[in-house]
Amino acid sequence: MTLEEKIGQMNQLDPSWNAEEKEALIREGRVGSVFNIVGAKELNRLQRMAVEETRLGIPLVAARDVIHGFRTIYPIPLGQGASWNPEMVEKAAGLTAGEAVSAGIRWAFSPMVDVAHDPRWGRVAEGYGEDAYLTSTMGAAVVRGYQDNGMAACVKHFAGYSASEGGRDYNTTWIPETQLRDIYLVPFRAALDAGAMSLMCSFNDLNGLPSSANPHLNIDILRHEWQSDALLVSDWGSGSDLVPHGLCADKKEAALRCINARMEMDMQGNIYTDYLAELVAEGKVKEQQIDECVRSILRLKYRLGLFDNPYVPETQPVAYSPEALALATEMVEQSTVLLKNNGILPLNIQHSTSLNSPYGFSRSFEALPRKELSTLNILITGPLADQKKEQLGTWVFDGEPEHSITPLMALKSFNLQPSTLNITYVPGLTYSRDKSTEGFAAAVQAAKKSDVILFFAGEEAILSGEARCRADISLPGAQTQLLAELKKTGKPIVLVVMAGRPLTIGAECEMADAVLYAFHGGTMAGPGLANVIFGKAVPSGRLPMTFPKMVGQIPLYYNRHNTGRPSYDPPMLIDSIPIGCPQFSIGQSSYWLETPTEPLFPFGFGLSYTTFEYGEPKLNEQMVNGKMVNNFTVSCEITNTGNFDSYEVPQLYIRQLSGELVRPICELKDYQKIFIPAGKTVTVSYQLTPEQLGYWHEEYSYTVHPTPYTSHQLWFATDHTDFQVWIAPDSRCLTKPVTISY
Ligand code: GLC
């Protein structure tokens, strides 16, 4: 390959702009990949230019933001995280790849595995929440699903992007290397261990160095420590962004800094095509640096089989198959989190159901008749009840809203034989930011004639995702006011929230008799929610992120440190401070005057229509001469003590009680989603290895000569100390722990 041809491979373009100009570049062999072009016909047209008109005929690879579905849209990734069902997520990714590949897409810019502690950040919608282990299992599942079905995954954004200060997108991130390795890098390693063929740089400067120009991230860790051969592509112009970052004086310097940090492909930045040849000629860049990058690019194309089969069959694309729609429905059921229920849910069910999903997630339960009601009068209201586009959520380019089934549509056609459903629909507000109260009276009027109110609240899709950060994460518009007016009618209210992030909905939860948090559920949000509301499916979602009471508590996450002065309960809150009181430290503990440290809802939390009882935990440890000879096994019995068969998500948490560094008050180390029929007892057990108990240590040492400097040593190890271990339904760890001495 000539230098020109090599540099051409490092160029990724969105040819939808200046199409003829970009096509000329393709014909000259100066483009390695295109993105944001869909359709076999068009992609084959561009591919013929690359394969048949250039000297070497190296095929293009077509990429796309396929984030949570292609045509069939599944719940947003945060919702998929709430399913705690990686097998189901893998299935969905496989079906998604089938749809995307049939449209010519062979490289998806997902999964996003940025561990996020800040719901103000719009992109929490695109990740799997606040825990590295849960995110790792989900990211690896997506990688397998995509790549077993012909589409390369691109795990992103490498790295630390979600720690953007203030939850403001693209903002500065300061992350100590131990935290970077213990939290933010963990899911990337898991995705690469699952075989991810590529990664994407992140926009943020990490401790002062933007990721696209960060040799410590991209070479020391990714290539030397992890020995990865995956392709590293920039984010959109993240290379040329080094100039506004204030790192580089101009784009030529940016090109130099990026190639020296082995950013291998330049997405829509044009800095490699504009400057790399010059930098080689000036001796500032060695050609073998370019060879390394091109090798990664050709490897990805080779792994996808593009050299043998560069073209897409121009047959009817795969889309909205019954299989995909059924799975999308089931994923809504499994990602919806029941946050409150005074018994109003499920709304009257008179029949037992035995539904076996196509994926072995059999759901059958005896739904006990609750009370004979010949007719059920339901008011459906709220700005998200009938929004085909909004329910799809953020990052949807190829899912068509006309295929969405909204909650209104699904509820109107729901068969509740022998009961009759009378559905009245009065939205009250026309979109989530609507501040007008004009529609309130009609909604209140209709509520007075109903037996129950289903209020569909939340955010429009555009209020989350990239560059969609909010400094106030309450329900937008006048939704809370409408809810308060409806509350005055005295009718029971089921609040269903469809949003791209946790929202501060404490007041709304007070007003509602039941609360379902459905994130943005995608194409089949309606049928999935209708099945949950009427009890054809029992909600089994668990929160992937902590829900703060108020935005001032952020960042608030479960695996926090205890501090030397943990807040004790109840703390002295602002209104209990005596007027004119003398100067004194109030309680000297770590909390806010307006609120204790407790969240509105904790990580891992979620109710069911049944109840579960956790038995005494048992520990099976094999220690000889103080050394663990094999793994610990922790187990306990769990009984479904209610009337509904249901999934439960027993979570394994540990806490290190002392050691070299302070450790979190609890850390998720394993989980499973297990189906337990009503009245039955199962035993769950988890293995714990020394590796799982370990963390990154660090040590600084000052050296005087030859010139004074401080060195910083990092190593991964497990301290010899005591650990508490729980098998618990959520991160409050209210079950009895066992203690491991390692
Ligand atoms: C965007 C996003 C990235 C996406 C890329 C291509 O700026 O940060 O996640 O894959 O550009 O659209």
Side-chain angles (χ1 to χ4, degrees):
M1 292 174 78
T2 65
L3 179 62
E4 197 76 13
E5 287 165 335
K6 292 174 184 175
I7 294 170
Q9 286 301 306
M10 299 164 74
N11 190 23
Q12 180 179 57
L13 293 182
D14 169 317
S16 53
W17 300 343
N18 310 320
E20 60 286 350
E21 179 194 308
K22 304 286 170 64
E23 288 175 20
L25 291 173
I26 294 173
R27 287 196 172 90
E28 293 159 20
R30 301 184 63 197
V31 179
S33 168
V34 294
F35 69 111
N36 288 342
I37 296 290
V38 170
K41 209 169 182 59
E42 176 58 6
L43 284 169
N44 284 338
R45 187 179 73 83
L46 297 175
Q47 190 69 293
R48 269 189 285 280
M49 295 174 199
V51 171
E52 297 165 22
E53 298 185 32
T54 62
R55 185 176 79 88
L56 296 173
I58 298 174
L60 298 167
V61 55
R64 181 70 159 171
D65 285 295
V66 182
I67 309 300
H68 51 106
F70 184 70
R71 297 295 181 198
T72 306
I73 301 300
Y74 298 87
I76 56 173
L78 190 59
Q80 296 191 30
S83 75
W84 293 61
N85 191 332
E87 292 79 18
M88 180 180 266
V89 167
E90 182 173 339
K91 275 278 175 202
L95 294 174
T96 295
E99 292 188 347
V101 169
S102 77
I105 303 303
R106 301 301 305 275
W107 187 12
F109 292 146
S110 67
M112 189 193 101
V113 296
D114 298 306
V115 176
H117 291 152
D118 193 331
R120 294 172 296 180
W121 188 50
R123 306 198 76 165
V124 296
E126 302 170 53
Y128 301 93
E130 71 187 42
D131 181 73
Y133 179 74
L134 177 64
T135 298
S136 298
T137 57
M138 294 294 163
V142 172
V143 168
R144 290 190 297 267
Y146 284 171
Q147 298 189 171
D148 290 352
N149 293 280
M151 184 162 74
C154 184
V155 62
K156 68 187 186 184
H157 303 82
F158 193 62
Y161 182 29
S162 48
S164 300
E165 267 182 358
R168 181 159 54 85
D169 212 350
Y170 317 118
N171 202 6
T172 299
T173 61
W174 293 103
I175 307 175
E177 177 102 7
T178 49
Q179 189 185 40
L180 182 70
R181 289 167 176 272
D182 279 333
I183 295 180
Y184 295 97
L185 293 182
V186 168
F188 286 92
R189 182 66 196 265
L192 290 168
D193 288 348
M197 293 186 198
S198 69
L199 306 93
M200 184 184 292
C201 295
S202 61
F203 285 122
N204 57 297
D205 63 285
L206 173 60
N207 305 329
L209 194 52
S211 303
S212 302
N214 192 322
H216 180 53
L217 266 183
N218 304 342
I219 299 175
D220 296 346
I221 294 175
L222 183 62
R223 306 302 177 187
H224 298 158
E225 272 189 57
W226 294 355
Q227 294 291 302
S228 168
D229 64 5
L231 165 59
L232 180 63
V233 63
S234 79
D235 199 336
W236 193 312
S238 63
S240 43
D241 286 355
L242 299 184
V243 177
H245 262 297
L247 188 80
C248 299
D250 54 40
K251 287 189 177 182
K252 181 176 177 182
E253 187 189 349
L256 178 60
R257 294 292 294 266
C258 287
I259 192 70
N260 285 342
R262 207 170 145 185
M263 181 192 90
E264 296 179 319
M265 183 180 267
D266 175 21
M267 181 196 294
Q268 194 70 17
N270 302 308
I271 57 173
Y272 282 173
T273 45
D274 289 353
Y275 302 105
L276 265 191
E278 198 179 322
L279 288 165
V280 171
E282 291 167 0
K284 291 175 183 165
V285 171
K286 297 186 186 66
E287 190 155 351
Q288 74 249 28
Q289 287 178 263
I290 292 174
D291 292 347
E292 284 176 334
C293 301
V294 175
R295 207 171 285 125
S296 293
I297 296 164
L298 299 181
R299 184 182 300 115
L300 177 123
K301 296 181 177 183
Y302 180 77
R303 284 175 169 167
L304 287 172
L306 286 170
F307 287 101
D308 298 328
N309 301 300
Y311 299 111
V312 193
E314 293 184 21
T315 51
Q316 181 62 29
V318 175
Y320 308 112
S321 68
E323 186 180 7
L325 295 177
L327 182 64
T329 304
E330 197 169 353
M331 195 178 262
V332 172
E333 296 163 359
Q334 293 221 13
S335 60
T336 298
V337 185
L338 179 62
L339 295 176
K340 176 182 178 182
N341 185 18
N342 68 0
I344 181 80
L345 287 179
L347 290 187
N348 284 291
I349 38 178
Q350 308 296 333
H351 53 284
S352 67
T353 306
S354 172
L355 284 169
N356 286 309
S357 84
Y359 306 104
F361 300 111
S362 71
R363 300 169 296 159
S364 64
F365 49 80
E366 277 309 308
L368 298 181
R370 294 163 54 79
K371 53 182 181 296
E372 201 50 44
L373 252 189
S374 58
T375 303
L376 187 60
N377 302 301
I378 296 178
L379 167 63
I380 294 175
T381 185
L384 271 294
D386 193 36
Q387 297 287 348
K388 287 174 168 254
K389 178 198 166 299
E390 305 311 337
Q391 72 183 44
L392 296 179
T394 184
W395 280 104
V396 171
F397 295 108
D398 306 294
E400 295 140 317
E402 54 270 31
H403 285 266
S404 296
I405 300 179
T406 66
L408 176 65
M409 294 164 71
L411 290 162
K412 279 168 86 171
S413 61
F414 198 86
N415 172 3
L416 196 65
Q417 291 305 331
S419 298
T420 307
L421 274 183
N422 274 348
I423 299 280
T424 304
Y425 173 52
V426 182
L429 292 162
T430 52
Y431 62 105
S432 75
R433 289 166 291 153
D434 190 351
K435 296 183 177 60
S436 160
T437 59
E438 273 169 27
F440 283 23
V444 169
Q445 236 7 68
K448 288 175 179 165
K449 298 184 206 120
S450 305
D451 298 319
V452 64
I453 300 165
L454 298 184
F455 189 113
F456 291 88
E459 295 175 313
E460 290 146 87
I462 200 64
L463 300 183
S464 58
E466 183 174 354
R468 300 287 180 273
C469 304
R470 296 183 60 200
D472 169 1
I473 55 171
S474 56
L475 281 175
Q479 298 179 61
T480 306
Q481 293 88 308
L482 174 58
L483 189 63
E485 289 307 309
L486 293 167
K487 179 70 182 168
K488 290 174 188 167
T489 66
K491 299 291 183 178
I493 299 174
V494 175
L495 175 66
V496 183
V497 183
M498 302 164 90
R501 57 164 55 82
L503 296 176
T504 46
I505 52 169
E508 294 80 359
C509 287
E510 285 297 312
M511 290 190 262
D513 295 273
V515 181
L516 288 166
Y517 213 86
F519 301 96
H520 284 121
T523 307
M524 301 302 277
L529 285 168
N531 288 341
V532 165
I533 288 166
F534 286 111
K536 278 183 78 173
V538 176
S540 59
R542 299 289 182 270
L543 294 182
M545 266 188 99
T546 298
F547 276 49
K549 287 193 180 98
M550 52 176 74
V551 76
Q553 286 185 306
I554 295 170
L556 188 71
Y557 47 91
Y558 86 95
N559 49 349
R560 59 183 172 78
H561 289 170
N562 199 34
T563 79
R565 296 192 172 177
S567 156
Y568 39 69
D569 292 328
M572 179 183 275
L573 296 178
I574 192 162
D575 292 333
S576 55
I577 299 172
I579 297 168
C581 72
Q583 173 57 37
F584 68 101
S585 298
I586 305 164
Q588 289 187 309
S589 67
S590 174
Y591 73 104
W592 300 271
L593 288 180
E594 288 76 12
T595 173
T597 53
E598 276 59 48
L600 181 63
F601 297 106
F603 171 77
F605 177 78
L607 299 172
S608 171
Y609 291 155
T610 189
T611 48
F612 296 98
E613 202 167 282
Y614 282 60
E616 283 283 316
K618 293 182 180 56
L619 172 65
N620 165 16
E621 53 180 306
Q622 313 289 334
M623 302 288 284
V624 174
N625 304 328
K627 287 299 274 176
M628 181 150 82
V629 289
N630 64 18
N631 306 330
F632 295 100
T633 304
V634 189
S635 60
C636 81
E637 292 188 338
I638 302 175
T639 304
N640 178 338
T641 50
N643 299 323
F644 288 87
D645 302 352
S646 173
Y647 288 99
E648 172 58 342
V649 185
Q651 300 151 38
L652 180 72
Y653 291 96
I654 69 162
R655 178 179 187 175
Q656 177 169 323
L657 296 176
S658 65
E660 291 296 312
L661 295 176
V662 168
R663 301 300 297 145
I665 57 170
C666 72
E667 290 176 87
L668 181 71
K669 291 296 176 184
D670 205 345
Y671 69 88
Q672 57 186 288
K673 188 160 209 178
I674 186 165
F675 189 77
I676 310 178
K680 295 285 184 279
T681 296
V682 298
T683 299
V684 293
S685 71
Y686 295 104
Q687 285 225 338
L688 261 178
T689 64
E691 175 93 7
Q692 285 175 285
L693 301 176
Y695 63 97
W696 280 88
H697 294 58
E698 64 180 343
E699 196 168 72
Y700 293 86
S701 53
Y702 177 73
T703 305
V704 176
H705 57 72
T707 52
Y709 70 91
T710 297
S711 65
H712 181 202
Q713 300 297 320
L714 286 163
W715 70 96
F716 185 89
T718 300
D719 296 340
H720 289 287
T721 183
D722 289 350
F723 297 82
Q724 277 182 316
V725 181
W726 296 266
I727 297 176
D730 60 55
S731 61
R732 290 173 298 173
C733 296
L734 299 177
T735 53
K736 192 167 178 301
V738 290
T739 299
I740 285 177
S741 301
Y742 175 65

